[in-house]
Amino acid sequence: MEDIMPIIGQNMLRISDKYFWAEPLAEYARAFIREKQAESMRFGLLTVLHYRMFGGNSESIYQAAAAVELFILASDILDDLQDGDAPLQAWSQVPAAAAMQVAVSLIVLSQQAILELEFGQAELIRVMRMMNEQLLKAANGQMLDLMNAVTDEESYLRVVQHKSAALIVFACMTGVMLTGRDWHPIVAEYAEEVGMAAQIKNDIRDLLRWDDKNDFILRKKTLLTLFLLEEIAEQDQWIADYFEGRISLADVLDRQQMLEEACNRTGAALYGSVHMRMHFNRFQELLDDVPEAASDKDKLLQIFSS
């Protein structure tokens, strides 16, 4: 599957060059796409793989995968601008207003790229309807995440289902539906499950790292931080004090080791790992219920394990 990524990246640049001529929009878009090319474009890979799994053979699928990745890039840009925690990314090196304009333009560009695909009108209409439904779902989840609206495990899972998982459903289902098939409920369910597993995995990483993306420093409510706050002992009261704003960032910057010890005592990371494994195991169970996936199971596992 690695040989597919350069083709997807080339299509992203081609589509961008076709529609973006004003400077610095064209220049910024190319720079942001090149930065995206340096990463793993697993959403586009999922689109291509699912298309092939369900019998598709048109080369136009690479433009569809590029359209998916253009939207994911736009989402990443907006997410980083909103969080302000990715100063080294290319879009953080330009004026915020310009980066925002590129992101909005990329969203429109991704839809235009879908509309121009050499598939039947019925397939394109179904894909566009599905695409917009999933992206609107993700928009609601992103707003809840921005507002730090999580209050318990149920609300956390609801936010993740809408924000992160909806984008994986979008990528997989684009490939499925471009073969002429309708919505595939099992593919949608396993995409949701693996999306939730991936988000919990990220949350484990973001609790234990010690930089601008640390969920504790950001006072972000996740499955792990909620569990940590519920289980802390009296000696760890400073964790609750910081989360509730009674002490400042300066008061906790030298307490990385203390936080790690508290996570070990409470079992917060282990708790997250168990939940992550539950969702990933459910994904594998559902995958076995899709006969079309049998020959590509290892490829899917490789993409989702990266």
Side-chain angles (χ1 to χ4, degrees):
M1 296 294 288
E2 294 297 321
D3 59 323
I4 294 175
M5 289 198 291
I7 302 174
I8 297 173
Q10 290 161 14
N11 273 271
M12 292 171 73
L13 288 170
R14 177 183 57 78
I15 298 164
S16 175
D17 289 344
K18 180 178 179 180
Y19 285 101
F20 296 161
W21 53 266
E23 295 296 352
L25 175 60
E27 175 191 350
Y28 286 162
R30 288 185 67 86
F32 298 173
I33 290 170
R34 287 196 182 100
E35 184 143 325
K36 181 67 174 169
Q37 286 176 297
E39 303 172 358
S40 174
M41 292 188 285
R42 68 172 181 171
F43 289 88
L45 290 176
L46 288 170
T47 299
V48 175
L49 184 55
H50 280 80
Y51 179 70
R52 291 179 175 173
M53 277 167 44
F54 284 84
N57 57 17
S58 171
E59 294 293 303
S60 294
I61 193 58
Y62 296 118
Q63 177 164 319
V68 168
E69 283 292 350
L70 286 168
F71 180 85
I72 297 301
L73 173 56
S75 179
D76 288 345
I77 294 169
L78 291 172
D79 192 47
D80 286 344
L81 292 175
Q82 289 161 349
D83 293 342
D85 59 1
L88 299 181
Q89 295 283 22
W91 39 88
S92 299
Q93 307 294 316
V94 305
M100 225 176 302
Q101 179 59 37
V102 175
V104 172
S105 301
L106 288 173
I107 292 173
V108 178
L109 186 64
S110 71
Q111 298 213 343
Q112 182 65 22
I114 292 286
L115 288 171
E116 292 183 352
L117 289 172
E118 295 179 357
F119 291 97
Q121 285 299 308
E123 284 86 353
L124 293 182
I125 290 172
R126 279 200 300 270
V127 169
M128 285 298 299
R129 183 178 296 118
M130 177 278 299
M131 178 181 183
N132 285 336
E133 287 175 354
Q134 293 305 307
L135 301 188
L136 288 169
K137 189 174 182 180
N140 281 279
Q142 175 69 0
M143 180 58 76
L144 291 173
D145 187 53
L146 280 173
M147 297 297 102
N148 211 13
V150 169
T151 57
D152 53 25
E153 181 177 318
E154 183 180 352
S155 62
Y156 166 84
L157 294 174
R158 186 165 58 251
V159 168
V160 173
Q161 183 182 33
H162 283 76
K163 180 189 173 186
S164 309
L167 296 180
I168 295 183
V169 173
F170 153 56
C172 296
M173 206 59 63
T174 296
V176 173
M177 296 180 77
L178 284 175
T179 66
R181 298 192 180 227
D182 291 324
W183 176 268
H184 196 297
I186 302 179
V187 170
E189 188 177 353
Y190 77 51
E192 276 195 355
E193 290 292 339
V194 81
M196 295 169 84
Q199 185 58 58
I200 296 171
K201 181 179 179 180
N202 288 342
D203 290 347
I204 296 171
R205 178 200 63 199
D206 292 345
L207 177 62
L208 299 178
R209 67 194 295 171
W210 202 251
D211 57 19
D212 291 340
K213 285 185 174 287
N214 179 274
D215 285 340
F216 171 72
I217 288 176
L218 295 172
R219 296 187 175 100
K220 189 170 181 180
K221 296 174 184 175
T222 69
L223 189 68
L224 279 73
T225 56
L226 288 172
F227 181 85
L228 178 63
L229 289 168
E230 287 181 0
E231 299 298 323
I232 54 173
E234 186 175 347
Q235 69 196 86
D236 301 317
Q237 184 58 38
W238 63 274
I239 294 175
D241 290 340
Y242 175 69
F243 233 81
E244 294 169 19
R246 291 189 290 270
I247 59 177
S248 69
L249 175 60
D251 296 320
V252 303
L253 279 178
D254 61 349
R255 301 189 187 187
Q256 179 181 6
Q257 185 175 349
M258 294 172 65
L259 179 65
E260 291 176 356
E261 290 171 354
C263 288
N264 288 333
R265 275 195 301 273
T266 60
L270 178 60
Y271 177 75
S273 295
V274 169
H275 274 263
M276 177 187 71
R277 179 50 58 184
M278 285 171 53
H279 287 290
F280 196 80
N281 287 345
R282 179 58 180 156
F283 151 67
Q284 290 181 294
E285 290 172 3
L286 290 164
L287 189 59
D288 289 335
D289 292 334
V290 181
E292 294 86 351
S295 60
D296 292 305
K297 184 176 179 179
D298 289 343
K299 291 178 182 177
L300 275 171
L301 291 173
Q302 181 183 355
I303 293 173
F304 287 132
S305 298
S306 61

